[in-house]
Amino acid sequence: MDIPGFNLHKLNFTPSYQYLSDIQPRMPDMRPSWHQLVVIGNGFDLECKLKSSFTSFISARNRVLEQEGNSESNPLGIKRNLWDVILGSMDGDRWADVEGAIARWVVPKGWGDTNSELWKSSLDETVDVLRDISRGKKSTFDSKSISYKAASYLSEGSSQKAGQWNKEKLLELTRHDLKCLEKEFSAYLAQAEKDQPDYRENARRLMCELIIQGRPSEKNYDIEESVLSFNYTHPIESLRSEEHETSYINIHGRLGGEIVFGIDGTGRMNDPTVTPFTKTYRLLSLDVSDTRSLVHAASPIGYQDYGTALIKFYGHSLGSADYSYFQAIFDSVHLYEGRTQLIFFYRRHGDKTSEEVRVETMSQVIKLLDAYGRTLDNKDHGKNLIHKLLIEGRLAVKELPDTMRRK
């Protein structure tokens, strides 16, 4: 039927099948969103042949200090300070545990033990020993104790007399020397990178291996990735999928800027002595990238947006010093009620067999999830969290395949 005033032949008419083809690229993406978070620790860098451990740093540092006065053997400008005494007091194989050393120095003894009353911290005891020295009194502290050794170092190696020390001055020195230690470690790590030319390529390959594990097809999902690194290195400057830039965040700072050593702040932020040595406090001073991209909340619609569907861990000791980070992540994805899957990857390293590393990893995972379960308001949920994750197929401990290197 003709319509008056409407001439079909003057219109730029396109057959319907061509028209649909032309607008196809502009149609909304109907694929559900799918996000994964990859969490890496120092084991990642060690796997990439970088001598990045604090143990390697302290060993190199001690070799330099043994040759004090020889500037040629000290290109990093390493100087002995209070933390050499504190670290030297750590027992057995904990001699390079800087986080444990910080806690031992500033946290009151008996903290965290419900059956024990709080006693003075080693820092407080050191002030007491210095006071005894200034008065010519014989100290009641054992000569092998950290307090006695630290007081001896301060009274013999400082221009300040023993009687001039008080808690405020000792805290100031403690913070100053810790920052010096951080700067020296940063310089050491930068040199270690230069000494390992294959590090960046090794890191790229290993990261690709981690990302592809359990990743669905981009034809079916709009996929995004985030990387949370507890390392100070940033070997991959640009990482992106076909559609999205990958967020890569160094939560404790990165080389070229400030880096921090610290302890977990959970339950300790009301102690003015301890607070400045917590990671929470120290991170306030860092220019950390926007961390909001690390975890994606699932859409209420459900099938339209899976949020953070998968969290992978590799090379992280899962130590208690970082529990507050993991608690925040697990809370964000509503781990108990949600659908997020956790995969803890491992690889054989050193002289350990694959089974030994697997058992060690499983033990760390159980401790982490048990600690997180105790933070849940519903205590029954906390008790059966691990069991629920296993039943729902949302928890796995797996050996990371080596397919990238086999290729």
Side-chain angles (χ1 to χ4, degrees):
M1 179 179 67
D2 290 335
I3 301 175
F6 188 81
N7 189 335
L8 183 63
H9 299 290
K10 290 185 179 180
L11 294 177
N12 184 17
F13 178 74
T14 305
S16 61
Y17 69 91
Q18 292 184 14
Y19 176 74
L20 288 174
S21 176
D22 288 345
I23 69 169
Q24 189 70 32
R26 295 190 293 273
M27 291 181 68
D29 189 346
M30 301 303 293
R31 296 171 303 166
S33 297
W34 187 94
H35 173 261
Q36 68 168 324
L37 171 63
V38 180
V39 180
I40 60 173
N42 190 48
F44 180 94
D45 277 351
L46 293 175
E47 170 80 11
C48 298
K49 311 301 181 185
L50 185 69
K51 294 182 178 179
S52 56
S53 70
F54 197 74
T55 301
S56 297
F57 165 63
I58 290 297
S59 295
R61 177 186 175 82
N62 289 340
R63 287 194 295 271
V64 170
L65 293 176
E66 288 171 2
Q67 303 178 51
E68 281 185 306
N70 185 351
S71 59
E72 293 182 0
S73 66
N74 190 6
L76 302 180
I78 290 174
K79 295 180 180 179
R80 189 182 301 276
N81 71 30
L82 176 61
W83 285 98
D84 292 295
V85 181
I86 299 171
L87 284 163
S89 72
M90 297 300 285
D91 305 319
D93 58 2
R94 298 184 65 211
W95 59 274
D97 178 7
V98 64
E99 293 168 348
I102 295 172
R104 182 173 186 175
W105 181 244
V106 299
V107 176
K109 296 176 182 179
W111 188 92
D113 185 352
T114 56
N115 297 320
S116 174
E117 60 179 299
L118 291 182
W119 297 84
K120 291 182 176 181
S121 66
S122 295
L123 183 148
D124 289 319
E125 291 178 348
T126 299
V127 174
D128 290 342
V129 178
L130 285 166
R131 188 178 297 114
D132 289 342
I133 292 175
S134 69
R135 296 171 179 172
K137 293 175 58 179
K138 183 178 180 180
S139 177
T140 57
F141 290 92
D142 191 306
S143 61
K144 295 181 180 179
S145 69
I146 179 176
S147 306
Y148 190 92
K149 290 180 178 179
S152 298
Y153 166 80
L154 293 170
S155 61
E156 296 170 4
S158 171
S159 59
Q160 193 158 250
K161 295 181 179 179
Q164 295 176 316
W165 285 102
N166 56 34
K167 184 172 182 177
E168 289 70 29
K169 289 182 179 179
L170 186 51
L171 273 172
E172 182 181 351
L173 178 68
T174 298
R175 290 192 292 266
H176 173 272
D177 282 6
L178 184 60
K179 286 192 174 184
C180 289
L181 193 69
E182 291 166 346
K183 289 180 181 178
E184 291 172 359
F185 180 73
S186 183
Y188 163 82
L189 200 53
Q191 185 60 49
E193 270 203 52
K194 293 179 182 178
D195 294 340
Q196 181 49 265
D198 296 331
Y199 167 62
R200 290 181 177 271
E201 177 59 21
N202 292 341
R204 185 191 68 80
R205 287 176 173 271
L206 181 54
M207 183 57 69
C208 287
E209 186 66 77
L210 280 166
I211 285 177
I212 64 174
Q213 298 300 316
R215 191 178 193 264
S217 170
E218 291 185 347
K219 293 181 180 179
N220 301 323
Y221 296 90
D222 180 19
I223 298 174
E224 290 189 68
E225 276 103 13
S226 301
V227 177
L228 173 60
S229 174
F230 284 82
N231 302 331
Y232 307 109
T233 51
H234 196 92
I236 306 170
E237 293 301 331
S238 179
L239 187 66
R240 62 172 293 118
S241 63
E242 292 183 5
E243 299 174 281
H244 300 284
E245 189 76 25
T246 298
S247 298
Y248 194 115
I249 294 174
N250 295 84
I251 195 66
H252 291 157
R254 57 183 287 189
L255 293 182
E258 187 179 358
I259 68 172
V260 302
F261 298 146
I263 59 177
D264 183 31
T266 303
R268 294 167 169 167
M269 299 305 291
N270 60 346
D271 187 327
T273 299
V274 178
T275 299
F277 299 95
T278 63
K279 292 179 180 179
T280 307
Y281 180 92
R282 298 293 307 282
L283 289 177
L284 288 173
S285 66
L286 294 184
D287 183 20
V288 179
S289 303
D290 190 351
T291 57
R292 289 176 296 179
S293 60
L294 286 175
V295 181
H296 292 194
S299 167
I301 301 176
Y303 69 90
Q304 294 285 359
D305 186 350
Y306 286 92
T308 300
L310 178 59
I311 303 178
K312 302 169 182 173
F313 300 80
Y314 184 72
H316 196 293
S317 66
L318 307 179
S320 59
D322 293 322
Y323 276 7
S324 56
Y325 295 108
F326 299 134
Q327 179 181 339
I329 291 171
F330 295 159
D331 283 348
S332 296
V333 299
H334 305 290
L335 185 61
Y336 188 89
E337 301 89 355
R339 295 178 294 177
T340 303
Q341 182 185 7
L342 308 180
I343 302 181
F344 296 85
F345 286 110
Y346 67 91
R347 269 186 181 156
R348 185 179 64 82
H349 56 82
D351 298 328
K352 296 179 180 179
T353 66
S354 179
E355 181 59 25
E356 286 174 334
V357 178
R358 175 179 173 79
V359 170
E360 183 180 89
T361 304
M362 288 173 60
S363 175
Q364 294 165 341
V365 170
I366 290 171
K367 286 180 181 178
L368 168 63
L369 293 177
D370 180 65
Y372 175 67
R374 291 197 297 271
T375 69
L376 298 179
D377 293 334
N378 188 321
K379 298 308 176 185
D380 290 333
H381 285 180
K383 292 176 182 177
N384 77 337
L385 172 63
I386 297 176
H387 183 72
K388 185 174 188 290
L389 292 173
L390 287 171
I391 290 295
E392 295 177 355
R394 295 196 290 130
L395 175 61
V397 177
K398 295 183 178 180
E399 186 166 15
L400 185 66
D402 239 350
T403 57
M404 295 298 292
R405 272 180 284 183
R406 283 203 294 269
K407 290 178 181 179

